[in-house]
Amino acid sequence: MPELPEVEIARRNLERWLKGHRIVRADADATRVFRGAELPHFTRLTGRVTALERKGKYLLVTLEGGHGLMAHLGMTGKFVRRKEGEPVPHSRARFHLDDGHVVHFSDPRLFGRMEPVPAKELWELPSVKALGRDPLTEGLTGSQLQEAVGDSKQDLKVALMDQGRVAGLGNIHAAEALFRAGLHPARKPGTLTPDDWKHLAKAIHAAFDFAFKEQEGEEITYLEEAGSVNRFRVYGRANGPCSKCGTTVESFTQGGRTTHFCPKCQPLSMVAVRASRKGTAAGKGPASAVIGPKPRSRRR
């Protein structure tokens, strides 16, 4: 699934493709990506793009004439550029440029979303206003991360994926950041020390930087696509050796998603165990339901 790095790369690609060009025509198919009444508004998205911004996993596009577009890539959405007439599988929407190229929004599973709105309303959309701090555009220090996540009673990884707390972190990069920081995904935020928060904030930035280095280019390739290579350090590596210590990587279900971790590099400390037991006594469910490893198939 596209997360902050993938969406930022999409933004940079669009910025590069559209710079100095005009959109001469926009058209789209009536799918779940759009609602029927929005299609006429989408066709008005022509002219020059004056701003291409991002908040978390949302792209916010401003065009001349006061038109705007909010785009969310969903689970499999991506923007690709092709010459006019070249077919693109699963193309749901198209921006025809004055240089003979077409920017397609390809979305095999139809979980993407595009919403044409007046440009002045883009940052006022409820889905955008509800987002938490964006680590890339607004910065993220250890103290800021603690302020955003520290009061959560959820498991640490689940809390990190709460878009109202930290915008853009998803299953993959949350797992990668926790691995880099040496923190167990089932730790409770309240058990972390100031140094833990500092290390975790740095690990989040490092995980993003790694993703930019490995993935930036003409197109993003998702792990579920044929021919893709998993370059992540822990995500998707259940039952294989840890890249740091060689211990077998484990996985379990957490918050409805598969979590990957190294039991040696990311120990569930006794302070976290005590916190989990305290939560169990308060009627929050057995700790074993959270920390018990359960192998699952890899899913992006």
Side-chain angles (χ1 to χ4, degrees):
M1 176 186 289
E3 299 179 21
L4 186 153
E6 290 78 21
V7 180
E8 173 61 18
I9 291 171
R11 189 198 69 78
R12 295 175 186 179
N13 283 344
L14 288 171
E15 194 171 61
R16 184 173 69 254
W17 295 338
L18 298 172
K19 185 177 181 179
H21 298 294
R22 297 177 60 85
I23 299 172
V24 295
R25 179 164 57 91
D27 61 79
D29 303 329
T31 65
R32 284 189 298 176
V33 177
F34 296 91
R35 309 301 181 263
E38 295 173 348
L39 286 176
H41 296 282
F42 182 81
T43 62
R44 300 172 189 170
L45 300 178
T46 58
R48 296 186 184 276
V49 171
T50 59
L52 244 169
E53 301 168 285
R54 181 195 53 76
K55 175 79 175 189
K57 303 177 186 180
Y58 289 85
L59 287 170
L60 306 172
V61 186
T62 300
L63 294 94
E64 58 188 5
H67 299 297
L69 175 71
M70 182 277 285
H72 191 284
L73 303 184
M75 295 184 67
T76 58
K78 65 168 66 176
F79 288 97
V80 300
R81 184 180 64 161
R82 297 288 187 272
K83 290 183 178 180
E84 188 79 51
E86 287 188 31
V88 172
H90 313 294
S91 176
R92 312 302 182 186
R94 294 152 293 276
F95 298 95
H96 302 261
L97 307 184
D98 59 5
D99 67 348
H101 285 90
V102 181
V103 175
H104 297 257
F105 179 64
S106 173
D107 187 9
R109 297 185 65 180
L110 290 169
F111 285 105
R113 179 86 176 99
M114 285 192 173
E115 184 175 347
V117 297
K120 62 183 180 180
E121 297 179 12
L122 283 171
W123 288 93
E124 298 302 315
L125 291 171
S127 55
V128 176
K129 290 188 69 175
L131 296 172
R133 191 177 191 89
D134 186 295
L136 194 63
T137 61
E138 298 173 296
L140 188 68
T141 64
S143 58
Q144 290 167 339
L145 181 60
Q146 182 177 7
E147 182 180 359
V149 180
D151 65 345
S152 175
K153 304 304 180 184
Q154 296 177 303
D155 287 356
L156 180 57
K157 179 167 172 283
V158 177
L160 288 173
M161 292 170 57
D162 183 342
Q163 298 303 295
R165 295 179 180 273
V166 181
L169 264 179
N171 191 34
I172 294 174
H173 296 295
E176 291 290 297
L178 288 168
F179 176 72
R180 288 171 179 269
L183 296 171
H184 195 286
R187 284 278 297 271
K188 298 299 181 184
T191 70
L192 271 63
T193 67
D195 279 346
D196 287 334
W197 289 113
K198 181 179 179 179
H199 293 320
L200 181 54
K202 288 183 177 180
I204 290 171
H205 288 295
F208 286 165
D209 289 343
F210 176 82
F212 288 133
K213 179 181 178 181
E214 293 294 326
Q215 300 183 73
E216 191 160 14
E218 281 294 303
E219 293 180 12
I220 292 292
T221 300
Y222 300 134
L223 285 184
E224 64 183 19
E225 296 183 67
S228 65
V229 177
N230 183 4
R231 295 186 175 89
F232 294 112
R233 294 188 175 185
V234 73
Y235 177 81
R237 298 196 177 279
N239 302 317
C242 171
S243 59
K244 287 184 180 179
C245 70
T247 301
T248 300
V249 173
E250 298 181 6
S251 67
F252 65 98
T253 302
Q254 186 181 37
R257 306 296 298 275
T258 300
T259 288
H260 301 84
F261 73 104
C262 172
K264 183 176 180 180
C265 296
Q266 300 169 263
L268 187 60
S269 66
M270 287 309 299
V271 65
V273 170
R274 287 195 294 269
S276 295
R277 288 172 179 170
K278 184 178 179 181
T280 301
K284 297 180 180 179
S288 61
V290 177
I291 64 175
K294 180 182 179 182
R296 292 284 299 275
S297 60
R298 187 177 75 187
R299 192 180 84 181
R300 173 84 190 219

